[in-house]
Amino acid sequence: MNRIPVTLEIAAVTDIGQKRSSNQDNFFVNNCYIDHEDILAERFDAVDSMAAHVLAVCDGMGGQADGDIAALIGVSTVSEYAARFDDADSPEETSRLAKKLIRDANSRVLERSESSGKKMGSTISMLVVTSKFVYACNVGDSEIYHKHRYGIERLSKPHTVAQELVDVGAISEYQASRSYRRNQLSQYLGMENPRILKQNEAFTTVRSGDMLLICSDGISDVLPDHSIYASLSSSRPVSDIADAIIEKALRKGSGDNLTVVIARVLDDGHMAMLKRRLAMLLGAVVGIAAFAAILLSLL
C-alpha cells in the first residue's frame, strides 16, 4: 500500500519513582520496547518517518503480583501486531485490529496468571498515527493527550470505579479526581471475563507542530491537564520535555512508577504529498515536452 509517511520526533521515558521497589511500567515505540522485567529507568529517542506509527504504554497493576510481566506481555503483543497497522487504511480497520490485539493480550496475561498461580494485570493505552487519521484506545487508566493549536484534548477515558460513578451522575469529575476509587480499575488486561473487555476509542487528525502524549497514572494522578499542556507547549526537544514531566510529577509527590511517551509532529504528510504531486506534475510536463519534440522533428 502506497501510504504517505508522517514524521515524528519521539521520546519515551520510564522511571521507577521514589517509593516503589520495582518498575511495573513498559512502553512501545515503533517496534522498540523494554524486553526484560527488571526495569529501573530507561529511555528511547528517535525521529521516525513512517506510514503508521504505533505508540503505547502498559502499566502493570501495582497491587497485583508480577505486574511487570503483565506489562511486558502487553507491549510484546503490540509488537506482534504493529506491522499490520500499515495495511489498515481506515479508522474502522484500525479499530478492528486493535480490538483483536487487546483480546489476544488479555488472553495471554490471563494464561500466564493461571499457569503461575499469581494474579496479574496491566493497563494498555495506544496510538496509531497516520497522515489520514489518528486512532487512540485505552483499557485501564493510562491517559492519552493531544495538544494542538486550539488547546489540549484528552483522547482517553479511564476504566475506573470513580469514572463509572461520574458516568451515572453519582459524583462529579472533581470528586472523582480526589476519590480513592480513581485507582480502582474496572477493566484491564488479564480479566477473567473477556466478554466485558472493551477499549475506549477516539479518532482525530494531527497537523505539523501538534504534540501527542501517553502517560501512566503516576503522571496523570498528580499533574492536571493545564500543567501537562504547559509542558507540551515548550519548543524544547521532546526528550527534554519528557524528562521535565517526570521531574514535575516527582516534585508533586507521585509515589508510583512514571512513564511518558511523547511525539511531536514534524511533518504531517502534507509536505510529502505535495512533493509527490509536484514530482508527478513534473514528470507529466517532461513527457509532454518530449512528445512535442518528437512531433516537431516529424514536421
Side-chain angles (χ1 to χ4, degrees):
M1 187 175 296
N2 194 15
R3 296 271 290 273
I4 302 297
V6 176
T7 304
L8 300 181
E9 178 193 4
I10 309 168
V13 180
T14 187
D15 191 279
I16 192 173
Q18 303 173 111
K19 300 179 181 179
R20 299 288 190 183
S21 59
S22 64
N23 190 348
Q24 298 187 351
D25 287 0
N26 211 315
F27 58 73
F28 178 90
V29 178
N30 292 340
N31 294 318
C32 296
Y33 63 95
I34 304 168
D35 61 357
H36 56 87
E37 299 159 21
D38 299 323
I39 307 167
L40 292 178
E42 294 201 30
R43 66 180 307 119
F44 173 88
D45 306 290
V47 174
D48 285 343
S49 184
M50 301 177 67
H53 298 264
V54 182
L55 317 173
V57 167
C58 288
D59 179 356
M61 294 170 65
Q64 308 277 16
D66 296 330
D68 50 351
I69 296 176
L72 177 56
I73 292 171
V75 294
S76 62
T77 305
V78 175
S79 179
E80 292 180 21
Y81 277 78
R84 305 188 203 179
F85 287 107
D86 276 338
D87 297 323
D89 201 33
S90 69
E92 293 77 18
E93 289 181 55
T94 301
S95 174
R96 285 193 293 270
L97 183 57
K99 286 183 173 75
K100 189 174 188 307
L101 185 163
I102 287 171
R103 286 196 301 270
D104 281 356
N106 185 78
S107 296
R108 294 174 188 185
V109 172
L110 186 58
E111 287 172 5
R112 180 62 178 266
S113 177
E114 291 173 345
S115 66
S116 67
K118 298 178 181 179
K119 182 68 174 177
M120 64 181 69
S122 177
T123 71
I124 181 170
S125 292
M126 184 175 70
L127 283 166
V128 179
V129 185
T130 76
S131 60
K132 292 183 177 180
F133 61 88
V134 173
Y135 170 79
C137 72
N138 73 280
V139 174
D141 60 353
S142 294
E143 300 284 15
I144 307 173
Y145 298 89
H146 175 204
K147 184 261 177 185
H148 44 74
R149 68 184 70 182
Y150 304 110
I152 190 168
E153 178 183 9
R154 191 181 298 219
L155 300 180
S156 54
K157 183 179 180 181
H159 286 117
T160 63
V161 174
Q163 183 61 50
E164 289 182 344
L165 293 172
V166 171
D167 292 343
V168 299
I171 62 175
S172 67
E173 291 278 2
Y174 177 81
Q175 290 171 317
S177 68
R178 282 155 176 76
S179 170
Y180 71 95
R181 295 180 182 272
R182 74 183 187 276
N183 296 123
Q184 294 180 348
L185 296 183
S186 57
Q187 294 203 34
Y188 53 89
L189 298 181
M191 292 186 66
E192 295 180 0
N193 184 2
R195 287 179 295 181
I196 65 172
L197 184 65
K198 183 180 180 181
Q199 71 261 38
N200 290 317
E201 298 179 313
F203 303 91
T204 188
T205 57
V206 289
R207 293 290 178 263
S208 297
D210 285 7
M211 300 280 281
L212 295 163
L213 167 70
I214 313 176
C215 63
S216 59
D217 63 342
I219 303 291
S220 56
D221 272 358
V222 298
L223 297 184
D225 289 359
H226 66 82
S227 178
I228 290 174
Y229 176 77
S231 296
L232 295 180
S233 298
S234 172
S235 59
R236 292 185 297 169
V238 293
S239 57
D240 291 348
I241 297 173
D243 289 338
I245 289 175
I246 295 286
E247 289 300 320
K248 188 184 291 188
L250 290 172
R251 288 198 304 271
K252 286 288 187 178
S254 177
D256 205 347
N257 306 141
L258 308 104
T259 301
V260 294
V261 175
I262 302 178
R264 174 183 284 128
V265 183
L266 300 181
D267 183 356
D268 57 21
H270 287 76
M271 184 60 68
M273 187 179 298
L274 178 60
K275 289 179 179 178
R276 181 177 294 183
R277 288 175 176 173
L278 287 174
M280 292 173 63
L281 178 60
L282 180 60
V285 169
V286 170
I288 292 171
F291 182 69
I294 293 171
L295 289 179
L296 288 174
S297 68
L298 296 175
L299 294 178

